[in-house]
Amino acid sequence: MDLLEDPNEGGFTNLLLKQATSEAQSAASPASALQQRASRATRLLDKRNETLQVQGQLEAHKQQAQRHEQQLAQRELELRNKQAELHDSLLKFNKFLTDNDAKRSEAERKLVDNKKFLDQKDEEISQLRRMLEQLRADEQDKRRLLERHTKYQKFFESVLEKSDDYKEVKGLIERWMTLNKTQLTLQADAEAAGKRSEQHKAALQKYLADKANDVLAVNNTIAELQQQLESQLERSLQEEAVRDERAEQQVGKTLEYTQIRMAVENVYRRVCERCGQKFKKTSMFRQLDFVGAVMVDYQDIYNKGKRRLAAPDTARSGGTLQPSSSASGGAAAGV
């Protein structure tokens, strides 16, 4: 938007320029009016040309922004590739350390196992020696026992002579041992069956109690997880609303700043063109300083012209500069 020529947004400078133009037109000839209309047509053409130039610059900025985004995407891809390479290197190094730790642990474990094996063999040797001594002692006891039980052998032989059911003493003894073993086995089975029954009853009661406790604990856990889920959902909704609000504020500020900067740059460019100076890329504050300085110069020119118009006697004299129609048109065209 052209801030120098728009009557609604030109400000104090446009008001002064209109007053100067109106005063100059009241004292100018019909030829001056024609020149002013021609100047207005020229300004309209200048506006159209400047609009086309601005649109071309915007397209150039868009293309530059697209190229910049492509470069950023390429850099991001390169960074991701480097990050993947570093990750692979880290995994390989971690695997190397893990393998070394495993090998060291395996060696230490083998050393401990070998030491345990040697200790176990030493213990076995000691046990075998004690068993040998015990066997020797048992042999002596059995010899003495055999000597004492010889009378029983004679008794069994006398029984065999009188009975036809058994042919040898060994058979009689084996029959007795079988019956005695069967009796002991049946007694042991009965006792084991009673113990197993008691154990099964206790295990069943414990299982039922544990399952009841597990069901209660699972129900409590489900209730707690439900509460946590609801709180997490509420918190996530609040955080999403805050993020959306911040994003909208940031977008509004960015758009406002961009519009202000483009307007300032447009005014600065037009002032440079009017003043015949080359447009230079600089900061927004320096551009505003330059435009302010030009406005001050225009204000001084306007004040001087007004003072000259207010002094007709002085204007008629040949030694001073009279405000002619060509000068008024030139000032208007410059603005």
Side-chain angles (χ1 to χ4, degrees):
M1 185 179 291
D2 193 349
L3 297 179
L4 296 178
E5 295 181 359
D6 193 345
N8 294 324
E9 299 183 6
F12 181 71
T13 303
N14 285 331
L15 181 60
L16 295 177
L17 292 173
K18 281 187 176 183
Q19 292 178 359
T21 304
S22 62
E23 292 177 0
Q25 287 178 355
S26 62
S29 62
S32 175
L34 292 174
Q35 291 178 355
Q36 290 178 357
R37 285 196 295 271
S39 176
R40 290 176 184 176
T42 304
R43 287 199 300 272
L44 289 175
L45 292 175
D46 291 340
K47 286 182 179 179
R48 292 178 183 176
N49 293 330
E50 290 173 0
T51 302
L52 294 175
Q53 291 177 0
V54 170
Q55 290 179 354
Q57 291 177 359
L58 289 176
E59 291 296 331
H61 286 309
K62 288 181 180 178
Q63 294 178 0
Q64 185 178 2
Q66 291 177 356
R67 290 193 299 270
H68 187 62
E69 289 179 357
Q70 292 177 357
Q71 292 177 358
L72 290 177
Q74 183 67 24
R75 291 181 181 176
E76 184 179 1
L77 180 60
E78 293 176 356
L79 289 175
R80 287 181 180 176
N81 293 332
K82 290 182 180 179
Q83 187 177 5
E85 292 176 358
L86 291 175
H87 183 67
D88 293 338
S89 300
L90 181 60
L91 290 177
K92 290 180 181 179
F93 183 69
N94 189 15
K95 183 179 180 182
F96 174 75
L97 293 178
T98 304
D99 294 339
N100 286 340
D101 292 338
K103 291 179 181 178
R104 181 177 58 81
S105 301
E106 183 67 19
E108 292 178 352
R109 187 184 63 78
K110 288 183 179 179
L111 179 62
V112 173
D113 292 341
N114 291 331
K115 186 176 180 181
K116 289 182 179 180
F117 179 76
L118 292 176
D119 295 337
Q120 183 179 1
K121 291 300 179 182
D122 292 338
E123 183 66 22
E124 289 179 358
I125 291 171
S126 300
Q127 289 180 0
L128 290 174
R129 286 177 179 176
R130 288 194 296 269
M131 288 175 62
L132 180 60
E133 294 177 357
Q134 184 66 32
L135 289 174
R136 288 175 179 175
D138 292 341
E139 183 182 4
Q140 296 295 330
D141 293 337
K142 288 179 179 180
R143 287 181 182 276
R144 289 191 295 268
L145 184 62
L146 180 61
E147 292 175 359
R148 287 198 304 268
H149 290 175
T150 304
K151 57 183 179 180
Y152 300 110
Q153 178 70 23
K154 292 178 180 180
F155 172 75
F156 287 138
E157 290 176 356
S158 64
V159 171
L160 290 175
E161 291 176 356
K162 295 179 181 181
S163 175
D164 296 333
D165 295 333
Y166 302 100
K167 296 180 180 181
E168 295 180 358
V169 176
K170 183 179 179 181
L172 180 61
I173 295 173
E174 287 178 353
R175 179 62 178 170
W176 178 83
M177 292 178 65
T178 301
L179 294 174
N180 188 31
K181 184 177 180 181
T182 302
Q183 182 182 4
L184 294 175
T185 302
L186 292 175
Q187 290 178 355
D189 291 340
E191 293 177 357
K195 291 181 180 179
R196 286 196 299 270
S197 177
E198 294 295 332
Q199 290 176 357
H200 289 324
K201 289 180 180 179
L204 179 61
Q205 293 178 357
K206 185 176 182 300
Y207 177 78
L208 293 175
D210 292 340
K211 288 301 177 182
N213 293 330
D214 291 340
V215 170
L216 182 61
V218 168
N219 291 331
N220 294 332
T221 304
I222 291 173
E224 292 178 358
L225 292 175
Q226 186 68 26
Q227 292 178 358
Q228 292 178 4
L229 177 61
E230 292 176 357
S231 62
Q232 287 289 351
L233 289 175
E234 184 177 359
R235 189 180 300 110
S236 63
L237 290 174
Q238 293 177 358
E239 291 178 354
E240 185 175 0
V242 172
R243 287 196 299 269
D244 293 340
E245 184 178 359
R246 291 179 179 174
E248 291 178 359
Q249 293 177 357
Q250 186 66 27
V251 169
K253 291 181 180 179
T254 304
L255 179 60
E256 183 179 358
Y257 175 77
T258 304
Q259 291 176 351
I260 292 172
R261 183 169 183 81
M262 290 177 65
V264 171
E265 185 173 353
N266 187 18
V267 172
Y268 175 69
R269 184 185 299 277
R270 294 180 67 83
V271 171
C272 289
E273 291 177 357
R274 295 295 186 274
C275 295
Q277 294 189 8
K278 185 179 179 181
F279 176 78
K280 295 180 180 180
K281 277 287 186 180
T282 181
S283 65
M284 183 174 64
F285 297 103
R286 292 186 177 178
Q287 293 176 357
L288 289 173
D289 291 339
F290 178 77
V291 171
V294 172
M295 291 297 101
V296 171
D297 293 339
Y298 281 155
Q299 182 66 33
D300 292 338
I301 294 170
Y302 171 74
N303 291 333
K304 290 179 181 180
K306 188 175 181 180
R307 285 195 299 269
R308 290 173 182 175
L309 291 173
D313 297 335
T314 307
R316 294 191 186 95
S317 61
T320 59
L321 179 63
Q322 296 181 358
S324 62
S325 59
S326 61
S328 300
V335 174

